[in-house]
Amino acid sequence: GFNILASLDLFKRNPIYRKDREISRSSDFRRFGGPDSRSGFSPYGNIINGLTGITTGATVRPCPPELYSDGLCRYDFNADLLTAYNGADRASGMVVGSLKLPNDIRLTGEVLLAQTKDHFEGHPIPDIFVPPSGDPYFGRFMQGGLRITDRQSDLSQISLGLEGMVRAIEWKIDAGQGRSKIVSNDQNYFNATLFNVETSSGAIDPTVLTNNQALVDSLKVTPHREGESSVAFANAKVSGELGVLSGGPLGYALGASVWREKLSDTPDALTQAGEVMGSIQQAAVNASRFGLQAGIYARD
C-alpha cells in the first residue's frame, strides 16, 4: 500500500588553476602571437594624467623589466590563484513516496533538500589611488591580502498531493513550496571613503607592504549579501468521459493552477552605496508576483 524512493548525492571537486595549463598559465598571450592582456593595475603603480586618464608611461615604483610592456607595468593575474574550474562541495537528498488511503485515494509527497558551499579567492584590490602629490595612478594594494568570498546556497522543495476517483471521474490536487537562499560573505575589502582619506594624507602608501597593519585592518569591511527566491503553488485537475460519439469516447479534462513568486536580493548598506573598494555597487531587489491559470481540454 505504499512506496518510498530515497536518494543521497555527495559531490566534491578540487579546483583546477589557470597556472596549471599552458594556454592559461599567463595572460601575456604574445607567446601565441596575441596581445599582452596582463592587468595595468600593478602593485608598482602606473601613473596617469589626471585630466585625460591616460597612463604617462611612468611608474610610482621601479617596474621589473619582465613586467613592463606597451607603456605599462603589468600584473599577471593568471600566474597564480585564479581557477579555470572552481572547487565545489555539494550535497543533496530527495525522498519521494506514496501511500494508499481508504476509498482508493492515494497520498503523494516529495521532499528535496540541497546545499552548495563555495570558497573563492581573488587578487588584492585594484583601484585608482591619489597620493599626497596629487598624481593619481592605477595600483593594486597587496598588503590588503587576497579578496575572499565564502558562499552558501540552500535549496528546498516540499510538495503534497491527493488523487483518486469518484465514480468515473479522476481527480488530483497538489500543493507545495520551493525556496532557494544564497548567502555571501566577503573579506579583505575596504571602506572606499576612509581608505582614500588615508592615501591622500600619506598615512597609507598602496605601493609598499610596510604600512601600519593596525591602520590597514581598521579600514577593512566584510560585505554581506543575501538573496532569496520562493514559489508557492497549488494545482487541481479533474478528467473523465462525457459520453460516446461516432469517433469514440468524448473525454475531457479541467485544470487550474495558482502560484505566488517572491524574490529578494539584499547587499549590505555599504555595497548599495558603492563605498566598498574592490567591489562594485549593487542595488537591492524586492519583488513578487501572483499567477493564475485555468484550462479545458476535450478530445474525441
Side-chain angles (χ1 to χ4, degrees), residues 84-140:
Y85 291 94
N86 291 321
D89 291 287
R90 298 198 299 260
S92 63
M94 179 180 67
V95 177
V96 179
S98 67
L99 174 65
K100 185 178 180 181
L101 301 177
N103 301 319
D104 291 327
I105 297 175
R106 184 168 293 276
L107 171 68
T108 62
E110 177 180 329
V111 177
L112 171 66
L113 300 172
Q115 184 179 88
T116 300
K117 292 183 178 180
D118 297 299
H119 177 82
F120 302 97
E121 294 184 350
H123 293 282
I125 61 165
D127 212 315
I128 297 177
F129 304 114
V130 181
S133 67
D135 296 324
Y137 60 90
F138 291 108
R140 189 176 297 270

Side-chain angles (χ1 to χ4, degrees), residues 12 45 71 76-77 138-139 148 165 209 212 227 259 277 287 294 299:
K12 183 176 180 61
D76 198 345
F77 46 81
F138 291 108
I148 297 173
M165 288 194 69
L209 300 173
N212 184 306
W259 66 91
M277 180 174 287
R299 66 172 176 82

Side-chain angles (χ1 to χ4, degrees), residues 197-218:
V197 168
E198 301 299 340
T199 56
S200 61
S201 70
I204 287 182
D205 181 350
T207 64
V208 301
L209 300 173
T210 55
N211 296 288
N212 184 306
Q213 191 62 50
L215 175 59
V216 171
D217 292 340
S218 72

Side-chain angles (χ1 to χ4, degrees), residues 218-240:
S218 72
L219 304 177
K220 288 185 176 182
V221 295
T222 53
H224 176 82
R225 182 178 182 182
E226 291 189 12
E228 184 172 346
S229 64
S230 64
V231 56
F233 61 89
N235 305 307
K237 184 181 75 170
V238 295
S239 62

